[in-house]
Amino acid sequence: MTEQESHVEIPQNHPRRVSLLTRAKLTEGVRQGITSLDGLLAHGRGEAFDYLLGERTRDFAARAIEAAAALFLVAKRPVISVNGNTAVLVPQELAALSEILDSPLEVNLFHASREREVRIHDHLLSHGARQVLLPEREFVLPSLQSNRRFVNGRGIYQSDVIFVPLEDGDRCEALIQSGRKVITIDLNPLSRTARTASITIVDNIVRALPLLVDRAQALASESRSTLDNLLKSYDNGSTLREAEIALREVVHAAGSAP
Ligand code: ATP
Ligand code: MG
């Protein structure tokens, strides 16, 4: 979505330009019936953490991105789960990642509606995606509640590694319990999703996804043992601790300012 398409004019030198453009994509996503209203609130929660983290990719996030790329590349059947926020924020990058990993995109919504699923499907195709799967009533993940238990038989149902950026904690926990490995992007290192996932990228999806595409591309030519070693040396607990310390340092510094 270009700035023109999103009906906003934000001055080039506005200090919160990127943040405002990102918001504009989401509000336009709501107008187009792709993003849910609840998605706007979820984004607001993410923004607060991003503000505290200085709106930049920290070292702990860069390490998690590297490990995530390695895990995707060693996976037998990786699948990329897409919701209404991710679809409007990073559609081209989702398509590029899907291409590099030879992994399908699959629409799965917290606030499910067939109409919105189809809109997201079409939106992704118009941004270069080649394969976008939709949930099917005959394929069910028993560990999940609600409509989200319906998945695609060629996608999430068969997956061993699943990418669920901006995810709700219940679903992340259920996917882990089902024996799958889960990679997430979540600006809140204290959320249930962040704490349950196998790999947690604590960064804004608009910065993290281009980096992830880049790292997946670069590591695709590496040997299996290089990828395995990368994964062996990665510790998600350290990522979460470092992210939490970074947040606490900012809050502490603000509290002790004269
Ligand atoms: P949980 O259910 O995991 O405990 P939650 O209920 O606080 O988390 P949800 O609304 O279920 O939050 O999930 C949205 C998550 O995505 C939040 O943790 C929010 O910080 C994060 N988030 C929102 N927008 C972005 C973004 N653009 N980039 C990265 N993370 C984001
Ligand atoms: Mg939640």
Side-chain angles (χ1 to χ4, degrees), residues 22 42-47 49 85 89 166-170 185-188 190-194 203-206:
T22 305
H43 182 75
R45 183 172 289 172
E47 275 187 342
F49 287 98
N85 283 38
L89 291 179
L166 323 189
E167 183 55 71
D168 176 61
D170 287 356
I185 298 180
D186 192 328
L187 275 159
N188 177 6
L190 304 171
S191 79
R192 289 172 308 150
T193 301
D203 196 10
N204 197 317
I205 194 168
V206 300

Side-chain angles (χ1 to χ4, degrees), residues 28-42:
E28 181 57 21
V30 171
R31 275 189 281 273
Q32 292 182 1
I34 294 172
T35 307
S36 74
L37 280 174
D38 305 76
L40 301 183
L41 298 172

Side-chain angles (χ1 to χ4, degrees), residues 85-197:
N85 283 38
T86 58
V88 293
L89 291 179
V90 283
Q92 271 128 350
E93 289 84 357
L94 290 169
L97 189 64
S98 157
E99 198 72 25
I100 295 165
L101 302 174
D102 191 21
S103 147
L105 299 169
E106 180 168 335
V107 182
N108 190 282
L109 305 179
F110 188 77
H111 301 279
S113 101
R114 196 62 181 180
E115 199 187 332
R116 205 153 67 80
E117 285 165 6
V118 171
R119 280 184 204 272
I120 292 173
H121 169 274
D122 295 348
H123 181 73
L124 292 168
L125 289 186
S126 73
H127 284 81
R130 281 208 289 190
Q131 199 187 7
V132 184
L133 305 174
L134 293 174
E136 298 170 307
R137 304 297 289 188
E138 46 295 30
F139 291 95
V140 171
L141 290 187
S143 49
L144 276 166
Q145 301 289 309
S146 82
N147 268 340
R148 309 191 86 190
R149 68 185 184 279
F150 299 115
V151 293
N152 190 288
R154 288 173 295 130
I156 292 174
Y157 192 75
Q158 296 190 6
S159 65
D160 58 341
V161 171
I162 175 162
F163 184 36
V164 285
L166 323 189
E167 183 55 71
D168 176 61
D170 287 356
R171 180 162 178 249
C172 185
E173 280 167 14
L175 288 168
I176 288 282
Q177 272 164 25
S178 73
R180 292 171 174 80
K181 292 217 164 116
V182 175
I183 298 170
T184 194
I185 298 180
D186 192 328
L187 275 159
N188 177 6
L190 304 171
S191 79
R192 289 172 308 150
T193 301
R195 305 194 89 79
T196 321

